[in-house]
Amino acid sequence: MSRSDDRNLETVAALADQLRRFAQDREWQQFHTPKNLAMALAGEVGELLAELQWLTPEESIRLMADPELGGRVRAEIGDVMIYLTRLADVLGIDLVRAAEDKLAEAGRRYPADRVRGSAAKASES
Amino acid sequence: MSRSDDRNLETVAALADQLRRFAQDREWQQFHTPKNLAMALAGEVGELLAELQWLTPEESIRLMADPELGGRVRAEIGDVMIYLTRLADVLGIDLVRAAEDKLAEAGRRYPADRVRGSAAKASES
Amino acid sequence: MSRSDDRNLETVAALADQLRRFAQDREWQQFHTPKNLAMALAGEVGELLAELQWLTPEESIRLMADPELGGRVRAEIGDVMIYLTRLADVLGIDLVRAAEDKLAEAGRRYPADRVRGSAAKASES
Amino acid sequence: MSRSDDRNLETVAALADQLRRFAQDREWQQFHTPKNLAMALAGEVGELLAELQWLTPEESIRLMADPELGGRVRAEIGDVMIYLTRLADVLGIDLVRAAEDKLAEAGRRYPADRVRGSAAKASES
């Protein structure tokens, strides 16, 4: 694989393409309604939480230093990204743009000068 | 903004950069432990589910045709992407690669010829 | 076990007692902060969703007719109840009263005459 | 209301009765499929997590000392209990028995002598 192909694979649009073909090859589009995909997304987030639930905040910061735990967390994050990308794709939503739009809104709601260092204000990033 | 800048903004890496600066400007890094970010991610997924919970599968397929509902769902998906990107970033995980690795694994576990059209086998994509 | 003992075991207060002893016997109280228990609760809800995600609404209505699926769903619901009861207990919250108070509030917000048959209004029960 | 009535209201069975009537009065049974109720349950758990996400574990232990935060957490726990009770009811599952059965199983899987004080073993209570 050439370097530029490799780069291309890293974009969300390319991932969405791969996931669409994956579902088509298996005739799974019929199950991939937005409702079902949102449930699958939530299920994977639940598995991610289960990996972190008994860790102290400090342990969670260092978790990638443990290859086994780190590998499980990376795999769960991969699953979450799969369903999030697939959900956005079936709805025709550009995932990164949707995030950027929300971030721009958060920037207006939480001016740095007013909320600096405050957890109460961090409820939305 | 030039076309190439615009394109650049659409990558996950660029989004992660923006989110990192956003947190730094507000001194919110202290709250952004993996444990806390995973909870925030789950909270946003909960808001997404709340938008879809009473819809029939068919209604969920057509939801973007309703500008108000479609806008709310797009915003929730943006919030989910924000926290997922931020979580992966603080852990040093490449989000798209993690998804691609899991997809490759799913391809080996669920060969198209064996699982075609079966919901029971669709439990992991 | 006498009938009245049996009846007693069915109350939430008795379940909370059992869970408290279970944690004490294993010296797990240290892990049972409200934050951690809320994450564990969410993790179990994720497992429950995973059982239902590909079912049609109609299939979900009939799921207890399938002994294997029904058993798995019952077990997940049991896990959810365990963490919800334990969380309420460590916070000193009466679970059933908290639900009744919210139900009374929902009754005031959603008078039957005004919301009858409307999904849009069913967003909170 | 007499003391014995009051006591009666505290049982899960009585709460399930109230919720069933609440849904019937509003003709909301049509929306209350197990699939939809599981999503609503997850949505409420998401709101609960959002209240706890930026708290340290220590802050989460003391949260009921803050009347405003404590009130919000109690209300979210009430909402979670409402949907969990309603879900179990439409499936014909006894919530407390399901929890007790899982607790008995956990007791066999995690003998106190073997798992004492270990977070790794606390992954299921």
Side-chain angles (χ1 to χ4, degrees):
Chain A
M1 191 183 292
S2 75
R3 178 70 201 138
S4 66
D5 281 350
D6 189 74
R7 180 74 207 130
N8 190 53
L9 279 176
E10 286 171 32
T11 69
V12 177
L15 176 62
D17 283 345
Q18 288 179 277
L19 292 170
R20 202 180 312 124
R21 275 198 307 276
F22 191 95
Q24 282 168 351
D25 289 349
R26 286 157 187 79
E27 296 175 9
W28 284 353
Q29 307 103 307
Q30 58 186 311
F31 306 119
H32 286 190
T33 64
K35 188 177 178 92
N36 289 3
L37 289 167
M39 292 180 79
L41 172 64
E44 296 298 344
V45 170
E47 291 189 36
L48 175 63
L49 288 181
E51 294 293 347
L52 302 170
Q53 65 199 15
W54 307 127
L55 302 184
T56 64
E58 295 71 31
E59 287 169 342
S60 84
I61 290 172
R62 298 188 305 266
L63 77 86
M64 295 302 288
D66 175 337
E68 207 176 310
L69 175 60
R72 288 201 308 271
V73 167
R74 184 179 185 277
E76 296 302 347
I77 284 177
D79 281 332
V80 173
M81 182 60 177
I82 282 175
Y83 282 115
L84 181 60
T85 302
R86 184 79 183 120
L87 173 61
D89 190 51
V90 301
L91 290 172
I93 291 171
D94 183 316
L95 201 49
V96 176
R97 299 244 167 168
E100 287 175 344
D101 287 351
K102 282 298 303 227
L103 184 61
E105 189 188 313
R108 289 188 297 270
R109 286 175 64 184
Y110 305 101
D113 288 347
R114 199 162 50 75
V115 301
R116 190 162 286 132
S118 161
K121 304 300 172 52
S123 58
E124 198 121 319
S125 82
Chain B
M1 190 183 294
S2 76
R3 178 71 200 138
S4 66
D5 282 349
D6 188 74
R7 179 76 206 129
N8 190 52
L9 280 176
E10 286 172 32
T11 70
V12 176
L15 176 62
D17 284 345
Q18 288 179 276
L19 291 170
R20 203 180 311 124
R21 276 199 306 276
F22 190 94
Q24 283 167 353
D25 289 348
R26 286 157 186 78
E27 296 175 11
W28 284 354
Q29 307 104 307
Q30 58 186 313
F31 306 118
H32 285 190
T33 64
K35 188 178 178 90
N36 289 2
L37 289 167
M39 292 180 79
L41 171 65
E44 296 297 344
V45 170
E47 291 189 34
L48 175 63
L49 288 181
E51 295 292 348
L52 302 170
Q53 64 198 13
W54 307 127
L55 302 184
T56 63
E58 294 71 31
E59 287 169 341
S60 83
I61 290 172
R62 297 188 305 263
L63 76 86
M64 295 303 288
D66 175 338
E68 207 176 310
L69 174 60
R72 287 200 309 270
V73 167
R74 185 179 184 275
E76 296 302 346
I77 284 178
D79 281 332
V80 173
M81 183 60 177
I82 282 176
Y83 282 115
L84 181 60
T85 302
R86 182 82 183 118
L87 173 62
D89 190 49
V90 302
L91 290 171
I93 291 171
D94 183 315
L95 201 49
V96 175
R97 298 243 168 169
E100 287 175 345
D101 288 351
K102 282 297 304 229
L103 185 61
E105 189 188 313
R108 289 187 297 270
R109 287 175 64 183
Y110 304 101
D113 288 347
R114 200 163 49 74
V115 301
R116 189 161 288 131
S118 163
K121 303 300 172 52
S123 58
E124 198 122 320
S125 83
Chain C
M1 191 185 291
S2 75
R3 179 69 200 140
S4 65
D5 281 350
D6 187 74
R7 180 73 207 131
N8 189 53
L9 279 177
E10 287 172 31
T11 70
V12 177
L15 176 62
D17 283 345
Q18 288 180 277
L19 291 170
R20 203 180 311 125
R21 275 198 307 275
F22 190 94
Q24 283 168 350
D25 289 349
R26 285 156 188 78
E27 296 175 10
W28 284 355
Q29 306 104 307
Q30 59 185 311
F31 306 118
H32 285 189
T33 64
K35 188 177 178 91
N36 289 3
L37 289 167
M39 292 181 80
L41 172 64
E44 297 297 343
V45 170
E47 292 189 35
L48 175 63
L49 288 180
E51 295 292 347
L52 302 170
Q53 65 199 15
W54 307 127
L55 302 184
T56 64
E58 295 70 32
E59 286 169 342
S60 83
I61 290 172
R62 297 188 305 264
L63 76 86
M64 295 303 288
D66 176 336
E68 208 176 309
L69 175 60
R72 288 202 307 271
V73 167
R74 184 179 185 275
E76 296 303 346
I77 285 178
D79 280 333
V80 174
M81 182 60 178
I82 281 175
Y83 283 116
L84 181 60
T85 302
R86 183 79 184 119
L87 173 61
D89 191 50
V90 302
L91 290 171
I93 290 171
D94 183 316
L95 200 50
V96 176
R97 298 244 168 170
E100 287 175 344
D101 288 351
K102 283 297 303 229
L103 184 61
E105 189 188 313
R108 288 187 297 271
R109 286 176 64 184
Y110 304 102
D113 287 347
R114 198 163 51 74
V115 300
R116 189 162 287 132
S118 163
K121 304 300 173 53
S123 59
E124 199 122 318
S125 83
Chain D
M1 190 185 293
S2 75
R3 178 71 199 139
S4 66
D5 281 349
D6 188 75
R7 179 75 206 132
N8 189 53
L9 280 177
E10 287 172 32
T11 70
V12 176
L15 176 63
D17 284 345
Q18 288 179 276
L19 292 169
R20 203 180 311 125
R21 275 198 307 275
F22 190 95
Q24 283 168 350
D25 289 348
R26 285 155 188 78
E27 295 175 11
W28 284 354
Q29 306 105 307
Q30 58 186 312
F31 306 118
H32 286 192
T33 63
K35 188 177 178 90
N36 289 2
L37 289 167
M39 291 181 79
L41 171 65
E44 297 297 344
V45 169
E47 291 189 34
L48 175 62
L49 288 181
E51 295 293 347
L52 301 170
Q53 64 198 14
W54 306 127
L55 302 184
T56 64
E58 295 70 32
E59 286 169 342
S60 83
I61 290 173
R62 297 189 304 264
L63 77 87
M64 295 303 288
D66 176 335
E68 207 175 311
L69 175 60
R72 288 200 308 271
V73 167
R74 184 179 185 276
E76 295 303 346
I77 285 178
D79 280 333
V80 174
M81 183 60 177
I82 281 175
Y83 282 114
L84 181 60
T85 302
R86 183 80 182 120
L87 173 61
D89 191 50
V90 301
L91 290 171
I93 290 171
D94 183 316
L95 201 49
V96 176
R97 299 244 167 166
E100 287 175 345
D101 287 351
K102 283 297 305 228
L103 184 61
E105 190 188 313
R108 289 187 297 271
R109 286 175 62 185
Y110 304 102
D113 288 348
R114 199 164 50 74
V115 300
R116 190 162 287 131
S118 162
K121 304 300 173 52
S123 59
E124 197 122 319
S125 81

